[in-house]
Amino acid sequence: MENEVLEFDIGLGSGADDDDDDDAVDIDIDDDLPSTPPHHLTTSHNSASTSATRIYLPEGDLSDLEPYEGMEFESEEAAKAFYNSYARRVGFSTRVSSSRRSRRDGAIIQRQFVCAKEGFRNLNEKRTKDREIKRPRVITRVGCKASLSVKMQDSGKWVVSSFVRGHNHELVPPDQVHCLRSHRQISGPAKTLIDTLQAAGMGPRRIMSALIKEYGGISKVGFTEVDCRNYMRNNRQRSMEGDIQLLLDYLRQMQSENPDFFYALQGDDGQFTGNVLWADPRARANYSYFGDTVTFDTTYRSNRYRLPFAPFTGVNHHGQPVLFGCAFILNETEASFVWLFQTWLTAMSGRHPLSITTDHDAVIRLAIMQVFPETRHRFCKWHIFKKCQEKLSHVLLKHPTFESEFHKCVNLTELIEEFESCWLSLVDRYELRDHEWLQTIYSDRRQWVPVYLRDAFFAEMSITQRSDSMNSYFDGYVNASTNLNHFFKLYERAIESRNEKEVKADYDTMNTNPVLKTPSPMEKQASGLYTRKLFVRFQEELVGTLTFMASKSEDDGESITYQVAKFGEDHKAYHVKFNVLEMKATCSCQMFEFSGLLCRHVLTVFRVTNVLTLPSRYILKRWTRNAKSNVILEERPTDVYTGYLESHTVRYNTLRHEAFKFVEEGSKSLETYNVAMGVLQEATTRVALATKNDGRAGDVNGRNKGDSASSGIRANYTSGNHLGISGQPLSEEDMDKKIQELRDELEYANRKCEVYRANLLSVLKDIEDHKLQLSIKVQSIKISLKGSI
């Protein structure tokens, strides 16, 4: 029978020879794929052609062509390509099963190609015996016997030695063949289009939509969105590999300029195998002040960005984003994220944050569970809302009110039971109870729905509105067109801009006085403690108390529970538990636990119980103007003189503040100076007289009352005898009395020591304020010089 030469321009997807890979979903596509579609066949009589593999087949209808014993091929690769082409027409996937080598030279002389469902999976493999399988693969092998075996002849050609045609499973219809592993290939033209669209900043989903439209259907594209995503990821990694030296040079230069600059590579300098982390000295210092809550921002990890860039950020005392370090994520495995978090923790001196916020990602969650087991992990609610627009686009088009109802269900429910009821009602009303993505985020609700997170600190001023801290630190600087060549200039520009904004906020806090809206001493106290932005937020809560009423609902002897609500809205009441002795209050809204500022409900209870100043336990240093000071300004006195000490400190600080203003005004001219000196001399005389009168009253009521007795006690202790003034032994009643008098003296001395300590802290606070003002002036001069240049 006469033979005809057929040329097959066919490429097989990578991994077709992998006997162990049953998963035909998430794979890496080979870069060296043919430029023609996988189903393309051309006929040629030119045996010298080098652009395609040649095989000899009998004449006949090519559409009905199938292998048969005795069929010859020019090479093993030609046989493999032919069987895969046949499999595509019939509707199954192929792989290489076994081979046989020559004993003379070790060359392969026999190959067997089988249906991908041949054999059975070995469930007792050693590599899975002693470890937990986190993502078990679907069983795909069912013992199918379909196969093609070829042997090499002495002539060098390959001949079919056996062919088994039948399968023991259903075959895949033509419109689903592109999903089979051995038929999933990205052609040359498709690669070119993907490259172009990726460079324009498009993501894999939009690119696949463009390809489907271009080719006229998903089955004609020849690969899936997963293949497209993997190809784009490989593109990005290859482009990054060429720029890695730039990154290493920059990091080494920064460390040579400042030994406190930290950087680390997963692997080593010569051949690093994963991620890169760095943190400059300012970032490490910022973490020591504001490292109680952290955001790991993976916005730039998506395919639409050329840089797999992820900063660690937090919130400073002005509510502004602050940087704690940066990473390039080139390896997204769980082990690489574990390395990244552990290394970052080392750079931050091993101090764990109270809470951390990340994108909704299962791999990141597993890594955080290992590295931060005691840290509260939250998924970013706003990323989930954004994902909702994508996953439920068909629902939003059909039901425009769904999105607002979804937001209300998440943000405005006060109790867990209320949220659960609202959620079930929502998914039932829109027939979404079986929606896969909604089921996923519902199962993770404890890590993103506010009602489950209010007992943890996240430094956010509002549960319903997006905080500035959730905006990326590098918004407006890094975008879809940023590459590594430009990145570091933009990175440094972003840091400089953020630093200038912090200096400006420091300046406004220290040099401008807020407008007070009430006569409350608490408002005046807060205005001198908090930064400007935090004071405004506190002021909103304080003014809000004027519309609330508090009534006792329970008294257990230690604490009193108040019901706090607006007039006529008892059904929306909050419950505040207040311990008067400990000055400790907790509210059912848990705003203080979540944000670090007292809510209007607790402040209402303070108002009705005549608590005039903020207890020190409710003034978080991280929100004060002295957040970066090393001086501990918060007092936590527990003795009986707490009220006295607090009132003394308030008086002292008020007088000092007024005195400074007096000096500044009095020194402006000679006339004001003379007036000020005259008034000051008169005030000195009057204060001295008042002090003398106060001292006499104190002697009568305090120390002189026990002078003779205390002298007797000292005399008795000196002589070693328990005798009174007359030399007679003290009675038991007299001894108890004199011991009590001695205790009173000791308490008086302790009180004076505490007063001196409070004064010393005030002086130290003045020094810190002065240092901060000098720092602001220096920064302002630098900025002005830079502007003039």
Side-chain angles (χ1 to χ4, degrees), residues 64-78:
D64 297 326
L65 193 64
E66 72 175 19
Y68 61 90
E69 291 186 15
M71 181 181 289
E72 289 187 349
F73 300 93
E74 283 291 318
S75 66
E76 172 202 345
E77 296 302 324

Side-chain angles (χ1 to χ4, degrees), residues 408-547:
K408 288 179 182 177
C409 176
V410 172
N411 287 327
L412 301 184
T413 48
E414 297 285 346
L415 302 173
I416 291 175
E417 296 78 11
E418 185 184 356
F419 165 76
E420 296 286 351
S421 174
C422 183
W423 180 277
L424 292 177
S425 173
L426 186 69
V427 295
D428 284 342
R429 187 160 63 256
Y430 292 98
E431 299 180 351
L432 295 171
R433 187 180 281 261
D434 297 326
H435 192 279
E436 185 178 353
W437 181 76
L438 280 177
Q439 287 180 339
T440 299
I441 62 170
Y442 177 74
S443 65
D444 293 333
R445 62 193 180 281
R446 288 175 177 81
Q447 288 184 266
W448 68 277
V449 177
V451 73
Y452 294 97
L453 297 165
R454 288 184 176 133
D455 60 335
F457 181 74
F458 286 97
E460 289 186 25
M461 295 300 101
S462 173
I463 289 175
T464 58
Q465 295 179 353
R466 182 169 185 174
S467 166
D468 288 344
S469 64
M470 297 307 298
N471 296 325
S472 173
Y473 187 91
F474 294 93
D475 274 358
Y477 295 92
V478 177
N479 54 47
S481 63
T482 304
N483 56 38
L484 197 59
N485 287 323
H486 302 103
F487 170 76
F488 287 111
K489 289 182 180 178
L490 298 173
Y491 162 82
E492 291 176 351
R493 193 178 300 169
I495 290 178
E496 185 178 356
S497 173
R498 292 292 184 183
N499 292 344
E500 288 179 2
K501 288 179 181 178
E502 182 176 338
V503 169
K504 178 66 165 58
D506 283 337
Y507 179 86
D508 290 342
T509 296
M510 299 300 294
N511 293 279
T512 60
N513 295 319
V515 177
L516 302 183
K517 297 182 179 180
T518 72
S520 167
M522 189 178 291
E523 184 183 17
K524 187 174 182 64
Q525 175 198 16
S527 70
L529 290 172
Y530 290 127
T531 59
R532 183 52 37 79
K533 180 172 181 178
L534 269 294
F535 170 72
V536 170
R537 184 67 186 86
F538 173 81
Q539 191 179 53
E540 290 175 5
E541 294 299 313
L542 187 64
V543 172
T545 64
L546 300 177
T547 62

Side-chain angles (χ1 to χ4, degrees), residues 641 705 739-749:
Y641 296 106
K705 181 179 178 181
I739 289 174
Q740 183 59 46
E741 290 171 351
L742 186 59
R743 284 176 177 167
D744 291 343
E745 282 239 337
L746 182 61
E747 288 176 354
Y748 179 80

Side-chain angles (χ1 to χ4, degrees), residues 7 62 107 124 148 159 173 203 247-248 255 325 339 343 357 459 463 506 511 563 577 586 618 631 729 769 781 784:
E7 296 183 352
L62 292 180
N124 296 316
L148 177 75
V159 177
L247 173 63
L248 297 182
Q255 191 177 63
W339 173 89
T343 307
T357 303
I463 289 175
D506 283 337
N511 293 279
Q563 183 172 301
K577 194 172 185 179
T586 56
Y618 295 113
V631 178
D769 288 347
I781 292 171
S784 61

Side-chain angles (χ1 to χ4, degrees), residues 306-332:
R306 297 184 180 184
L307 293 174
F309 172 60
F312 291 87
T313 60
V315 188
N316 69 9
H317 51 325
H318 300 291
Q320 299 169 332
V322 62
L323 191 64
F324 296 149
C326 298
F328 275 134
I329 303 174
L330 304 179
N331 189 329
E332 300 182 14

